[in-house]
Amino acid sequence: MIQVTLPDGSSRSYESPQTVAQIAHSIAPSLAKAAIAATVRSNEGIESTVDTSYLIDRDVSLSIITPKDDIGLDIIRHSTAHLLAHAVKELFPDAQVTIGPVINNGFYYDFSYKRPFTPDDLEKIEKRMNELAKQDIAVVREEWDRDDAVEFFKKEGELYKAEIISSIPQGETISLYKQGSFIDLCRGPHVPSTGKLKVFKLMKVAGAYWRGDSNNEMLQRIYGTAWSSKEDQAHYLNMLEEADKRDHRKLGKELDLFHFQDEAPGLIFWHPKGWTIWQQVEQFMRKVYIENGYQEIKAPQILDLSLWKKTGHWDNYKENMFTTQSENREYGLKPMNCPGHVQIFNSTLHSYRELPIRYGEFGQCHRNEPSGSLHGMMRVRGFTQDDGHIFCTEDQLLEECSAFTALLQKVYKQFGFDKVLYKIATRPEKRIGADEIWDKAEEALMESLRSSGCEFEISPGEGAFYGPKIEYTLKDAIGRHWQCGTIQVDFSMPARLGAEYVDADDTRKTPVMLHRAILGSLERFIGMLIENHAGAMPPWLSPEQVVVCPISEAFNDYALDVQSKLNEKFRVKVDLRNEKITKKIRENSMQKIPYILVVGEKERSTSSVAVRARGNVDLGVLTVDEFIARLQNEIDNKLDVVVPSV
């Protein structure tokens, strides 16, 4: 008798082996209809995700996967990538298939073909995908001998696929999936038939080098998206449309904030208005430093390569570092601030009574990112971190981590973000330090979040090479997630660089070093703010907070008087152009300035202003002092423009 335990704790018995599909049907026919895969856990604790055709021949715990599950959606997307390759091979038999993984919100598949795919090609491919889906073709898993699989794909002219299989160690299972005339290498699982793939759309074509190596052939990467419902896909496509409107690169040009050019790839040219936003963010964070016990410091931009070798950066990160030479010495342009901060700590022998010592720096860093990965302000080669390092004892570790999480939540709220997601990234395969140290560091981070009442996820293997970290992720106005802040526990670098303090028993000990940032890269955070607010920054961040518009030249002097009074506290301009007032209002509104003040005879005679809030909201006439009080309140409380509800 085979015993199958279900997620609710109940169990079912079967006299003979059963497929997942058969078990699902015995539970409920509707479940069998919805099932696309299953998670199986053996009594020994081994867990695997399997197809519905998988045969259960022993006691297991079983969970049926449907499209409503997160993993179910991934399976749908992976299967849709295969459907894409199937359609391409039918329409373009000479095309070679390579790889087609799942990505955020969709999938892609890379192809080698003699000419570029066109938008018309994409339409034909998507149409054929729909036809294949409607045929409800069975998707069947087969296991092959590796050499037989290599020979098969070579005969089919699929040289890339043969190369992939040849690289798999002898003895490992080679699983292939067939659907009609199409066969592909894949671990699976996949949906039981193409009829399960109902909601998908091809998005674009881009170039991608085979195996990511620029020395290899440039392939064509077709991107697509797939969902479990039409409503989910419509929501996603609407979000993409909204994201395009909010693109910081487009808004940066329209609002005259910054620009990029080929002479400085991955570096930003800040214009006066954009730099004003930068200054507001930096000055705010500087105040945060002061109020929370940080001492602001500044370390050199370049350091001798020997120091980067001591820290482990050279062995683990050299491909991302810029280097330079002078007088027969090699230097590294800093990609991170931490080694410089350790040098400042080491310049004085500290007592345990001084700990924790908190250093903060607006540290400019450079990283040699591949040109293909550069993306406006979101991925650059030169950036500034609101970087900080805390030197503390092991006993202070938990308190410092918990205090940092509380501080970070407070800061994010000031920028308008209430929702924070927490992930703990654990030890990567390539790392420094003993396992006992990693155990201690990972547990400290987990306990700090538990004690703060924060739910968190684990990201296995995604920690830095020198220590685990908490990643703090924000959700923006259109539902996108942005990983910003981080705190990393480092037991290794202080020891490598000889950092010490004198303990209560007069012995010298190595401090724990916490690497922490709240905003991360200021450039990226400002780009995120621009997109979150669609360029309409809250008054405290707006490069221009007020524009005064006289209705005619006769009132220019009064407009200048108003500007003079407001200039004492706010960033104000006056529009003295000889244009109609409607044009002035329209053009200044397009610059997303929080307030437009219109002045004429009535306003001059009563020392007042006619106030228009952003969004063309008429707030009526206020005295200048009343307007000052209103705007000052919004700035002091980090509010957006406050308008009456309709």
Side-chain angles (χ1 to χ4, degrees):
M1 194 70 72
I2 298 168
Q3 202 78 7
V4 176
T5 304
L6 303 177
D8 62 1
S10 64
S11 62
R12 288 175 176 260
S13 300
Y14 300 91
E15 293 183 354
S16 61
Q18 303 283 305
T19 65
V20 168
Q22 289 172 326
I23 293 173
H25 191 273
S26 73
I27 297 170
S30 59
L31 181 61
K33 186 176 180 181
I36 57 173
T39 300
V40 175
R41 185 179 179 86
S42 69
N43 289 340
E44 295 75 35
I46 300 172
E47 189 171 285
S48 56
T49 308
V50 300
D51 302 293
T52 58
S53 60
Y54 182 79
L55 194 66
I56 306 291
D57 57 3
R58 63 197 182 284
D59 292 354
V60 297
S61 296
L62 179 71
S63 177
I64 304 296
I65 297 170
T66 72
K68 294 181 180 179
D69 301 310
D70 288 344
I71 190 172
L73 186 54
D74 282 347
I75 291 168
I76 283 174
R77 287 171 175 162
H78 197 179
S79 298
T80 309
H82 279 227
L83 186 67
L84 163 62
H86 187 174
V88 168
K89 287 297 293 182
E90 288 203 350
L91 294 171
F92 308 97
D94 294 340
Q96 291 189 62
V97 296
T98 62
I99 58 170
V102 173
I103 56 174
N104 283 341
N105 299 311
F107 59 90
Y108 70 76
Y109 214 115
D110 289 347
F111 300 94
S112 172
Y113 191 52
K114 58 191 175 186
R115 66 165 177 80
F117 289 123
T118 66
D120 285 345
D121 291 333
L122 287 195
E123 285 186 21
K124 292 175 184 175
I125 294 167
E126 186 175 313
K127 180 181 178 183
R128 185 58 184 150
M129 289 171 68
N130 277 295
E131 292 168 351
L132 293 169
K134 288 175 182 176
Q135 291 176 23
D136 198 23
I137 303 166
V139 179
V140 181
R141 175 187 167 96
E142 297 182 356
E143 293 185 2
W144 286 38
D145 173 77
R146 190 192 72 165
D147 293 341
D148 289 345
V150 170
E151 189 62 27
F152 170 79
F153 281 105
K154 282 183 177 178
K155 286 181 179 178
E156 292 290 308
E158 298 288 358
L159 304 183
Y160 290 94
K161 199 65 70 173
E163 181 182 328
I164 294 171
I165 299 172
S166 296
S167 67
I168 298 174
Q170 190 69 261
E172 283 197 21
T173 300
I174 304 297
S175 57
L176 304 180
Y177 279 81
K178 279 185 177 180
Q179 52 190 60
S181 61
F182 180 68
I183 186 167
D184 201 357
L185 169 73
C186 193
R187 288 189 179 135
H190 282 285
V191 296
S193 68
T194 60
K196 299 289 186 184
L197 309 176
K198 301 178 185 298
V199 185
F200 52 81
K201 182 175 179 59
L202 299 185
M203 305 299 292
K204 63 178 181 178
V205 181
Y209 291 110
W210 169 237
R211 296 192 182 276
D213 187 340
S214 60
N215 294 314
N216 291 335
E217 180 192 352
M218 175 70 80
L219 304 174
Q220 295 187 71
R221 176 168 295 176
I222 298 180
Y223 285 94
T225 190
W227 299 85
S228 57
S229 73
K230 290 182 179 179
E231 292 77 15
D232 287 345
Q233 179 164 286
H235 176 76
Y236 172 68
L237 295 176
N238 287 336
M239 186 273 287
L240 287 184
E241 185 178 344
E242 184 62 30
D244 183 62
K245 295 176 187 174
R246 293 166 178 258
D247 190 311
H248 71 281
R249 295 165 297 180
K250 183 186 298 183
L251 290 169
K253 184 175 182 180
E254 292 173 1
L255 302 178
D256 192 26
L257 303 177
F258 54 83
H259 81 272
F260 299 89
Q261 62 187 63
D262 289 342
E263 287 79 3
L267 301 169
I268 302 170
F269 291 82
W270 288 97
H271 298 194
K273 291 203 292 184
W275 193 243
T276 298
I277 297 174
W278 172 287
Q279 289 296 319
Q280 300 313 304
V281 172
E282 182 179 346
Q283 289 163 21
F284 172 75
M285 292 307 300
R286 181 165 281 116
K287 185 179 178 185
V288 168
Y289 280 175
I290 293 169
E291 292 176 348
N292 289 275
Y294 287 84
Q295 304 171 68
E296 189 175 342
I297 58 175
K298 192 72 174 175
Q301 285 290 105
I302 62 170
L303 294 167
D304 192 286
L305 222 52
S306 62
L307 185 61
W308 298 110
K309 291 177 180 177
K310 281 184 185 177
T311 63
H313 284 90
W314 187 248
D315 290 336
N316 292 276
Y317 206 73
K318 61 185 175 183
E319 66 275 7
N320 292 105
M321 290 179 63
F322 289 102
T323 59
T324 187
Q325 292 183 334
S326 177
E327 297 179 341
N328 297 319
R329 291 181 69 179
E330 287 189 290
Y331 298 89
L333 192 60
K334 68 175 180 179
M336 303 170 183
N337 300 294
C338 29
H341 289 197
V342 178
Q343 305 314 305
I344 294 172
F345 180 87
N346 286 352
S347 66
T348 303
L349 183 60
H350 298 282
S351 163
Y352 72 96
R353 294 186 180 89
E354 297 174 69
L355 304 185
I357 290 175
R358 305 181 187 99
Y359 290 146
E361 179 183 5
F362 297 101
Q364 190 172 7
C365 299
H366 289 81
R367 296 179 184 174
N368 191 16
E369 303 283 2
S371 58
S373 71
L374 300 178
H375 178 70
M377 295 168 69
M378 305 307 187
R379 192 73 175 267
V380 290
R381 286 177 172 165
F383 58 95
T384 300
Q385 290 180 311
D386 66 320
D387 209 358
H389 292 88
I390 301 171
F391 297 87
C392 63
T393 67
E394 286 189 30
D395 291 341
Q396 295 167 333
L397 180 58
L398 179 57
E399 183 179 354
E400 287 299 311
C401 290
S402 299
F404 177 71
T405 294
L407 172 61
L408 178 140
Q409 291 168 335
K410 183 179 177 182
V411 169
Y412 286 161
K413 196 165 186 177
Q414 297 281 277
F415 282 104
F417 299 102
D418 294 319
K419 180 73 172 176
V420 184
L421 307 177
Y422 306 89
K423 287 186 180 180
I424 293 181
T426 58
R427 67 197 75 184
E429 186 174 330
K430 192 175 182 181
R431 61 182 183 269
I432 58 177
D435 283 345
E436 313 87 76
I437 291 176
W438 279 86
D439 291 341
K440 191 181 298 183
E442 289 171 356
E443 179 55 33
L445 291 181
M446 292 180 196
E447 184 54 35
S448 75
L449 288 181
R450 291 189 200 107
S451 65
S452 300
C454 300
E455 295 183 2
F456 59 89
E457 296 179 9
I458 301 293
S459 298
E462 294 187 12
F465 69 87
Y466 50 78
K469 58 184 176 179
I470 302 175
E471 293 178 338
Y472 303 88
T473 299
L474 303 180
K475 187 175 181 180
D476 73 6
I478 58 174
R480 297 174 300 179
H481 289 170
W482 302 87
Q483 194 270 307
C484 292
T486 182
I487 187 166
Q488 304 170 3
V489 181
D490 189 348
F491 286 98
S492 298
M493 191 181 298
R496 283 181 165 230
L497 297 183
E500 294 180 326
Y501 68 94
V502 179
D503 206 358
D505 59 1
D506 287 333
T507 61
R508 295 195 178 190
K509 293 186 177 175
T510 302
V512 179
M513 184 178 182
L514 301 178
H515 307 249
R516 47 104 293 171
I518 298 177
L519 308 184
S521 157
L522 266 68
E523 288 81 358
R524 181 173 176 270
F525 189 77
I526 291 171
M528 191 188 85
L529 282 174
I530 291 169
E531 296 200 2
N532 182 63
H533 294 288
M537 308 296 272
W540 75 281
L541 288 171
S542 292
E544 295 170 336
Q545 296 166 323
V546 184
V547 58
V548 185
C549 297
I551 62 173
S552 71
E553 291 183 6
F555 305 104
N556 283 359
D557 287 344
Y558 179 61
L560 290 168
D561 288 342
V562 172
Q563 180 196 32
S564 178
K565 189 176 245 189
L566 297 177
N567 264 342
E568 296 174 10
K569 295 186 176 183
F570 310 123
R571 296 182 289 278
V572 185
K573 74 172 185 177
V574 60
D575 189 343
L576 299 179
R577 294 178 298 160
N578 185 22
E579 300 286 358
K580 291 181 179 180
I581 189 63
T582 51
K583 183 175 182 179
K584 290 182 181 181
I585 292 172
R586 182 175 66 254
E587 292 184 353
N588 284 294
S589 294
M590 290 175 65
Q591 289 298 301
K592 303 181 186 290
I593 300 170
Y595 288 103
I596 299 173
L597 306 184
V598 179
V599 296
E601 178 57 41
K602 178 183 176 182
E603 290 75 28
R604 182 171 63 182
S605 63
T606 56
S607 296
S608 60
V609 288
V611 183
R612 284 181 174 271
R614 189 163 47 207
N616 200 29
V617 179
D618 187 350
L619 298 181
V621 176
L622 300 176
T623 67
V624 175
D625 289 340
E626 287 172 338
F627 175 74
I628 288 174
R630 174 194 180 87
L631 181 53
Q632 191 64 56
N633 175 64
E634 292 173 350
I635 291 171
D636 291 344
N637 292 289
K638 304 293 186 290
L639 302 175
D640 207 338
V641 176
V642 179
V643 297
S645 57
V646 178

